[in-house]
Amino acid sequence: MDTYESILLVKNEVFVFKIPPRTTNRGYRAADWNLAEPTWTGRLRIVSVGDACTLKLEDRNNGELFAKCPIEQYPGVALESVSDSSRYFVVRIQDENGRAAFIGLGFGDRSDSFDLNVALQDHFKRIKVCEEIAKEKNEPKQELDLKFKEGETIKINMKITKKDGSEGVANKQAAKPRPTISGVGGLLPPPPGSSSIKTIPGTAFTNVISIASIYKSK
């Protein structure tokens, strides 16, 4: 697949400054530069070829390259903000032999520096998204296994609305049949081993009268 150059940002006027070497761990300050007398004035372009991103400083008239800065990540050492202004940056330029130097870069308007930040953030965000998509293609996510394992069971309770509007449970057990009452004439039988009550042979009606007369005589 052929790669082509994509233009991420163009600013027709930027300023380049010589900066003193940093002697402490304190961040760079644009106030330490000679801002009234820039070393060079020209055009800035940020281009990408595939995932590679390069900041180029060019002549505004003929497009001749003044310096370039490969940017591998942002924020990073290739392009660093100063501590006292949002319009100035420290840029690490690099020649064809790999030699590097640091220069100051400034914009006349704060919106131009904002556009620079957005262009670089969008570029590296796109790379990250593409890497995640490629990773998912190579390592597809495992599907969730919802099959029943051997010996597994499931219990489901379902509410069923009856015709009268009441609700019942589908897995409700059937009601047990009521026990039948045995005995003479519907009366409960005497407790086992009872010797005080004697059964007199005869009809069922006679037995009832005899039992009643026994209880009455006590």
Side-chain angles (χ1 to χ4, degrees):
M1 180 179 179
D2 295 334
T3 57
Y4 60 93
E5 184 179 85
S6 176
I7 300 175
L8 306 180
L9 181 70
V10 176
K11 294 297 177 182
N12 289 320
E13 186 177 59
V14 296
F15 308 98
V16 171
F17 306 90
K18 287 183 178 180
I19 61 175
R22 184 165 58 177
T23 57
T24 64
N25 292 330
R26 188 184 67 174
Y28 289 101
R29 296 177 70 251
D32 298 334
W33 310 342
N34 186 7
L35 299 180
E37 297 181 4
T39 302
W40 180 86
T41 302
R43 179 181 67 186
L44 175 146
R45 286 197 312 138
I46 298 179
V47 299
S48 66
V49 179
D51 293 342
C53 178
T54 305
L55 183 151
K56 294 183 177 182
L57 299 174
E58 302 169 338
D59 187 277
R60 286 182 293 185
N61 298 319
N62 55 26
E64 182 181 355
L65 181 66
F66 171 75
K68 65 179 181 179
C69 169
I71 303 176
E72 296 179 356
Q73 62 178 8
Y74 184 76
V77 296
L79 187 66
E80 183 179 349
S81 300
V82 298
S83 60
D84 59 343
S85 176
S86 61
R87 293 189 294 116
Y88 296 91
F89 300 85
V90 175
V91 180
R92 187 183 67 177
I93 58 176
Q94 188 173 329
D95 62 12
E96 299 297 336
N97 297 322
R99 294 176 299 182
F102 291 91
I103 61 173
L105 176 69
F107 296 92
D109 193 274
R110 187 171 287 104
S111 62
D112 292 335
S113 62
F114 176 79
D115 293 340
L116 172 67
N117 284 309
V118 172
L120 292 174
Q121 289 173 358
D122 289 347
H123 171 73
F124 288 101
K125 186 183 296 183
R126 178 187 62 81
I127 292 177
K128 185 177 180 180
V129 171
C130 292
E131 289 176 350
E132 292 176 352
I133 293 175
K135 184 178 179 181
E136 290 181 357
K137 289 182 178 179
N138 295 331
E139 300 178 3
K141 295 182 179 179
Q142 295 182 353
E143 297 182 358
L144 184 61
D145 186 8
L146 299 178
K147 297 180 180 179
F148 284 102
K149 305 297 187 296
E150 185 177 356
E152 279 188 330
T153 58
I154 187 171
K155 180 179 179 181
I156 301 176
N157 292 332
M158 299 178 60
K159 289 186 177 181
I160 301 176
T161 303
K162 300 179 181 178
K163 292 183 179 181
D164 58 359
S166 61
E167 293 182 347
V169 181
N171 64 347
K172 184 178 180 182
Q173 295 181 353
K176 295 181 179 180
R178 296 180 61 186
T180 56
I181 300 176
S182 61
V184 180
L187 298 177
L188 293 175
S194 177
S195 59
S196 59
I197 301 176
K198 297 181 179 180
T199 303
I200 303 174
T203 63
F205 179 76
T206 305
N207 290 340
V208 174
I209 296 176
S210 301
I211 295 172
S213 61
I214 292 172
Y215 278 99
K216 186 176 181 182
S217 62
K218 285 188 177 182

